[in-house]
Amino acid sequence: MDLFGNQSVSCSIFLVFSVLLIFHGAFGAKFTFVNKCDFTVWPGILSGAGSLKFETTGFELRKGSSKSFQAPAGWSGRFWGRTGCSFDGAGRGACTTGDCGSGEIECNGAGAAPPATLAEFTLGSGASSPDFYDVSLVDGYNLPMIVEGTGGTGACGSTGCVTDLNRQCPAELKAENGGACRSACEKFGTPEYCCSGAYGSPATCKPTKYSEIFKSACPRSYSYAYDDATSTFTCSGADYTVTFCPSSPSLKSSTDSSPRTATGTGTTTAGAVEQTTSLPENSWLADLAIGDSTRTHPNDLSFLLFVLIFGSSFFFSFLDFFSS
């Protein structure tokens, strides 16, 4: 009787810790998107090859609103804002800038058509593995955007572009609708501007008069392909806020954190679970069934722990009763 009683307690504890170990590291950063623009923005999300998915690949973010998503650990990806969008009741339509060509609010695995301001992330897979992130103007610019990390350790610098580059855009780079500024690579397509061919290395591809305009206005953003040293940031265990059209510069002083050069971090993408949208009940069970066990909800995990604790206690009490 005592033997089974001890087994009941021990096995319950074992199951609890097993579940915690299984799900430890399943959660990456929480991303909060804030729209301070005077108009609606439709953020797009591109998932990269081999990375876990978001529940959404595009959504509406009205003026003054915010939405949060939980990313899985090890996620990598990019975000951008689409503007001038027109969607019908069925979610079909297109956008003036940053359009992903899907014809829907959801981008469905398609990236932003340049020019577009991009926020790029490669999240670490554990506490000892840092996140790498940047804001890139390599594909041009359409919206002011900043990225700020909270609760992390390390440099954790804020980055982005708070300047309205559309006002400073050289006439030859202005998009037809005036709502975006092209990169010199997109406009002219030459190796010098695209860092290709004979200019395809850090030693040969240098800043141009156009990338220097971007860099002067947004010193913490990528202005051309090899602008790593002052544009890539690292942090461990942080959550991130992506703000479109920040009302005032909120970038941290350059003295509090310096960017670090990333090597082979890549700029692919993936997804998360939108916390402001209700998911189907027991959605974690479907995820487990298809092998996507890292895509879990805190509420789902709590329920699972509850079932395991009390279920195992009942089971071993049942054995204990009959053994006596």
Side-chain angles (χ1 to χ4, degrees):
M1 181 109 177
D2 290 338
L3 176 61
F4 277 99
N6 290 336
Q7 285 182 335
S8 175
V9 174
S10 299
C11 288
S12 296
I13 294 174
F14 173 77
L15 285 171
V16 171
F17 278 99
S18 295
V19 172
L20 290 175
L21 287 173
I22 290 172
F23 289 101
H24 177 68
F27 301 107
K30 180 177 78 171
F31 288 97
T32 299
F33 297 86
V34 179
N35 182 12
K36 292 188 177 181
C37 300
D38 291 330
F39 46 85
T40 298
V41 173
W42 286 262
I45 303 169
L46 176 63
S47 295
S51 194
L52 297 176
K53 299 182 297 182
F54 272 75
E55 278 295 310
T56 180
T57 56
F59 60 97
E60 180 182 28
L61 192 63
R62 296 184 180 181
K63 171 185 175 182
S65 67
S66 66
K67 288 187 178 181
S68 294
F69 300 80
Q70 184 74 49
W75 175 84
S76 62
R78 63 174 53 173
F79 311 113
W80 69 96
R82 294 171 288 173
T83 67
C85 302
S86 179
F87 294 105
D88 60 22
R92 302 286 301 177
C95 301
T96 303
T97 74
D99 190 59
C100 52
S102 67
E104 302 177 3
I105 293 178
E106 295 280 344
C107 285
N108 299 322
T117 313
L118 304 175
E120 304 173 317
F121 287 85
T122 297
L123 299 183
S125 56
S128 61
S129 179
D131 306 334
F132 291 85
Y133 57 99
D134 66 81
V135 170
S136 175
L137 308 179
V138 175
D139 288 345
Y141 167 99
N142 69 330
L143 279 176
M145 176 198 292
I146 62 170
V147 172
E148 298 172 288
T150 56
T153 59
C156 300
S158 296
T159 183
C161 185
V162 299
T163 302
D164 185 356
L165 270 174
N166 291 329
R167 296 173 179 266
Q168 302 179 19
C169 186
E172 60 271 31
L173 298 185
K174 283 184 177 293
E176 287 80 1
N177 55 33
C181 187
R182 289 192 177 98
S183 68
C185 175
E186 182 197 357
K187 174 64 178 180
F188 304 112
T190 62
E192 174 188 1
Y193 294 125
C194 296
C195 291
S196 60
Y199 295 89
S201 72
T204 57
C205 190
K206 302 298 181 182
T208 67
K209 65 177 182 180
Y210 294 112
S211 68
E212 287 177 343
I213 292 173
F214 284 15
K215 195 65 175 179
S216 176
C218 307
R220 290 191 159 205
S221 296
Y222 263 88
S223 58
Y224 73 105
Y226 294 108
D227 191 13
D228 300 89
T230 58
S231 308
T232 302
F233 294 79
T234 62
C235 190
S236 296
D239 292 326
Y240 297 95
T241 300
V242 179
T243 303
F244 300 104
C245 305
S247 57
S248 61
S250 59
L251 294 180
K252 298 178 183 177
S253 168
S254 60
T255 60
D256 68 352
S257 56
S258 300
R260 299 182 182 179
T261 302
T263 303
T265 58
T267 56
T268 56
T269 48
V273 178
E274 184 179 359
Q275 294 181 327
T276 57
T277 301
S278 298
L279 295 177
E281 191 174 354
N282 295 330
S283 60
W284 61 270
L285 188 58
D287 294 337
L288 289 173
I290 62 174
D292 197 8
S293 60
T294 57
R295 215 177 72 190
T296 57
H297 254 275
N299 289 338
D300 297 332
L301 181 56
S302 299
F303 176 74
L304 181 58
L305 287 173
F306 176 85
V307 171
L308 286 173
I309 292 171
F310 287 94
S312 60
S313 296
F314 175 80
F315 176 73
F316 286 105
S317 296
F318 179 79
L319 290 180
D320 186 22
F321 173 79
F322 279 98
S323 67
S324 61

